[in-house]
Amino acid sequence: MKLLLVHPGADWSVSDVWRGLSAAFERAGVELIHYAMSGRIEQSAAFLDGVNKANKRKDKDAPEFGPADYMYHASTGVIERALRHKVDWVFYISGLYFHVQVYELMRRAGIRQAVLLTESPYNDDHEKMVAGLVDVVFTNERSSVETFKPLCHSVHYYQHAYDPDIHNTEPLEETEDPVPAHDVVFVGTGFEERIAIFHGIDWEGIDFGLYGTWKLLGSRNRLREHLKLGVVPNEYTAQLYRRAKIGLNPHRTSLGYGRDVEHVRGAESMNPRCYELAATGTFFITDPRPEVKEVFGSTVPTAASPEEWEEQIRYWLAHDEERAQVAAQLPGLVRDHTFDARAADILRILVRFR
């Protein structure tokens, strides 16, 4: 199979999905053609900004190209690439940074398209526009499958995965600048629901390491004393997990990034962090979701309120041997949830598509 793989356009967490599946497809023998959306968006923005300036010099009232034009300009090249390489499928990761009109142009060209929607259920409304224009939809939230079924006749649940080359239990190499070893660690985006949980915990006597984007924290919020670094690569994250006593995983519920936003209810699927923490053999606590129970049974403790989170954290920090026994079970529980397994599932569906 020859597959044109379209980068998500964002260089943070969803890019890890692209990286993991890309390597897995190649190991499965797929001939991959790549389309680098993030670089193209930057180049298109620079080019069209230059056009804007040139036009303004000639006519100060000339209309300007904006972000939608940047995205359209960056997206259209995928049609030429798909036709030139005579690909069997164009496969988009996320697809939210890809101009929606180009999906329709690709369809007119008779090229089959599949998309992995990675932002379900938080961006279902935006993703529905994409789902109605492609041949096959994969969504990372199983409760969203029914949302997309009226729009596409081939909709499938894509369960998250981990990369064994990054997330594993191999001993860490000693370096001159070692990764910090925290009592408790969290790496991710500071949505308001996470801020509320962590702010409600008394961290006295606990070394809590907080990493990622936390722009919503107030200037005097006491969580600021726990901020260490901003966005860190997945390789560094894996090392933080393996050095920590406890990892935390409160799932996102915010529909957008901001204060007083709407929140989703009824999400069922685990996020990638659950798989990655388990694969590194890191004891962790999460909030409850149906898939957590299905994958881990009663092995992974859950918490809902800040009081429950603190109770669990302090209990497990005080019980080293019991915590280690639980952590030792975790890699085996996610052994089969790799990108190779997910790529194989995707390819079976694409090969059989009619």
Side-chain angles (χ1 to χ4, degrees), residues 17-316:
V17 178
W18 167 81
R19 188 179 300 109
L21 279 179
S22 177
F25 282 139
E26 289 185 338
R27 286 191 292 268
V30 175
E31 182 179 351
L32 280 188
I33 311 296
H34 289 281
Y35 195 81
M37 269 306 289
S38 60
R40 287 175 179 270
I41 292 172
E42 293 173 3
Q43 293 167 5
S44 293
F47 170 72
L48 292 176
D49 280 344
V51 174
N52 284 337
K53 291 176 183 177
N55 288 343
K56 287 294 183 183
R57 286 195 293 267
K58 298 176 184 178
D59 178 4
K60 63 182 179 63
D61 295 321
E64 290 190 2
F65 294 109
D69 301 297
Y70 304 160
M71 194 176 297
Y72 182 83
H73 188 271
S75 302
T76 53
V78 77
I79 302 171
E80 179 274 335
R81 180 156 295 193
L83 290 170
R84 177 158 59 91
H85 290 279
K86 299 179 180 179
V87 299
D88 299 299
W89 285 90
V90 176
F91 193 95
Y92 308 90
I93 305 293
S94 177
L96 295 186
Y97 285 86
F98 199 82
H99 200 285
V100 69
Q101 290 183 2
V102 180
Y103 291 107
E104 177 58 34
L105 295 176
M106 190 78 73
R107 176 190 260 181
R108 293 181 199 173
I111 300 167
R112 293 188 296 185
Q113 305 173 86
V115 64
L116 169 55
L117 300 175
T118 60
E119 306 307 309
S120 304
Y122 314 108
N123 284 332
D124 277 1
D125 286 343
H126 189 172
E127 290 178 332
K128 282 193 287 188
M129 292 189 293
V130 177
L133 294 171
V134 299
D135 301 287
V136 179
V137 168
F138 299 91
T139 171
N140 67 287
E141 169 53 48
R142 70 186 190 189
S143 68
S144 293
V145 170
E146 294 303 317
T147 300
F148 301 125
K149 274 187 175 180
L151 303 166
C152 179
H153 80 277
S154 184
V155 181
H156 310 272
Y157 172 45
Y158 169 89
Q159 195 169 357
H160 277 302
Y162 74 96
D163 185 346
D165 288 338
I166 298 174
H167 298 97
N168 54 60
T169 58
E170 295 178 6
L172 294 171
E173 295 182 7
E174 293 299 326
T175 63
E176 294 182 2
D177 187 20
V179 173
H182 299 288
D183 291 336
V184 180
V185 71
F186 178 81
V187 184
T189 302
F191 293 101
E192 62 176 359
E193 60 272 18
R194 290 172 175 165
I195 292 174
I197 290 170
F198 295 157
H199 187 268
I201 296 173
D202 178 8
W203 295 104
E204 182 68 30
I206 299 173
D207 177 2
F208 178 38
L210 196 55
Y211 297 76
T213 301
W214 292 82
K215 295 179 181 179
L216 298 182
L217 276 184
S219 60
R220 297 184 180 180
N221 192 301
R222 63 174 180 267
L223 287 175
R224 286 196 168 275
E225 67 183 86
H226 301 286
L227 287 176
K228 305 302 177 183
L229 295 174
V231 177
V232 295
N234 224 351
E235 292 80 1
Y236 191 88
T237 299
Q239 293 186 57
L240 284 168
Y241 290 164
R242 283 185 280 177
R243 288 189 182 275
K245 295 179 180 177
I246 295 176
L248 301 182
N249 182 55
H251 286 87
R252 167 189 174 182
T253 62
S254 290
L255 288 179
Y257 186 63
R259 296 184 176 88
D260 302 319
V261 297
E262 291 186 41
H263 292 259
V264 298
R265 298 290 183 267
E268 299 180 8
S269 300
M270 297 193 305
N271 58 18
R273 191 179 297 103
C274 278
Y275 298 96
E276 294 168 355
L277 283 161
T280 57
T282 305
F283 176 93
F284 72 99
I285 304 165
T286 184
D287 51 350
R289 282 196 175 184
E291 200 169 68
V292 172
K293 183 75 170 178
E294 294 162 12
V295 173
F296 297 109
S298 59
T299 306
V300 172
T302 60
S305 66
E307 293 76 18
E308 290 180 9
W309 281 94
E310 183 173 348
E311 181 182 356
Q312 292 278 16
I313 289 167
R314 291 194 177 276
Y315 174 86
W316 288 103

